[in-house]
Amino acid sequence: MNQMPLGFGDDKNGRGRRNESYASGHRLFFALCPPDAIEQQAAAIADDYRRAFSLSGRPRLTTLHVSIIWVGDYPKLPEDVVFAARQAGATVESAPIAMTFDRIMRFPQARALVLCGEGGRKPLTRVHVQLGVGMHNAGLRHNISRDFTPHMTLLYDRKAVPPTTLDTPVSWTASEFLLIESLIGETEHRIIDRWPLLG
């Protein structure tokens, strides 16, 4: 799941599976989080677009992130899943990743306004695959996507907007990745664990 507003259920083993029934609960995923200065830059871009195109969606000021891989959605977060996800996180080997988003566009299916770009895509895709393999080895669904597209969701809105190249790209070097618990419907993230990107 790449920041798409889908719900997920539990399969017979208690592992998350796709199901659009959850309006609340706990979503577990790995992500990069931008530093404060980048959050402010992205929030300013979202605000500019919101005004320019009369969008009603609210910018995601406190939960901006770049999803690496989704673990699952649960009505109550299972401790064994958290343990397995931590095991998967510990398997990653990657240098710091230079991220650059130089475009803004809409993901129609998710009704999301996002920042995207090619800067950092290849190394982040490698981390995506490493985590997927680590999750599989730890007994979780691997959730590796052939269509993995690094992006940062700014807001959700039903209204379409034209894709645009940014005059000033949103760039930073990610030196760590995180395991995050999202409270579905609450716009709240809790950091469960973090790992440095050292090389």
Side-chain angles (χ1 to χ4, degrees):
M1 183 199 76
N2 298 326
Q3 297 173 327
M4 293 176 65
L6 298 174
F8 297 84
D10 297 330
D11 65 17
K12 63 183 179 181
N13 297 315
R15 309 306 187 197
R17 64 175 174 80
R18 295 185 182 273
N19 185 314
E20 297 186 7
S21 62
Y22 288 169
S24 63
H26 304 263
R27 174 168 297 154
L28 193 63
F29 63 96
F30 290 95
L32 304 178
C33 288
D36 291 346
I38 297 303
E39 279 189 350
Q40 293 170 11
Q41 182 185 1
I45 292 169
D47 195 50
D48 288 346
Y49 258 70
R50 191 169 178 245
R51 281 185 276 179
F53 295 97
S54 300
L55 305 179
S56 58
R58 293 184 178 181
R60 302 174 52 161
L61 302 181
T62 60
T63 58
L64 290 172
H65 65 277
V66 180
S67 291
I68 303 173
I69 196 165
W70 164 79
V71 178
D73 282 16
Y74 310 90
K76 181 179 178 182
L77 197 60
E79 291 184 10
D80 63 328
V81 171
V82 173
F83 179 78
R86 281 180 158 148
Q87 286 184 306
T91 65
V92 170
E93 296 181 2
S94 173
I97 300 174
M99 299 297 303
T100 298
F101 294 140
D102 56 5
R103 301 192 308 277
I104 187 168
M105 63 180 293
R106 184 172 184 263
F107 283 1
Q109 183 180 2
R111 297 175 177 171
L113 186 69
V114 306
L115 296 175
C116 59
E118 293 299 313
R121 179 172 185 156
K122 287 184 178 179
L124 193 58
T125 299
R126 285 194 292 270
V127 172
H128 170 80
V129 173
Q130 285 184 57
L131 283 169
V133 171
M135 287 164 56
H136 174 75
N137 291 339
L140 299 173
R141 298 163 66 92
H142 65 69
N143 295 331
I144 296 172
S145 172
R146 293 182 180 179
D147 301 320
F148 177 64
T149 304
H151 63 278
M152 184 187 297
T153 299
L154 299 176
L155 56 82
Y156 293 101
D157 199 279
R158 294 175 179 271
K159 192 172 182 180
V161 298
T164 304
T165 299
L166 298 174
D167 292 332
T168 304
V170 175
S171 301
W172 81 97
T173 298
S175 59
E176 65 175 5
F177 69 99
L178 299 88
L179 178 63
I180 295 175
E181 173 193 4
S182 174
L183 302 184
I184 299 171
E186 299 291 333
T187 318
E188 180 182 345
H189 285 176
R190 297 172 179 171
I191 297 172
I192 293 179
D193 211 338
R194 62 207 319 153
W195 295 266
L197 296 170
L198 299 175

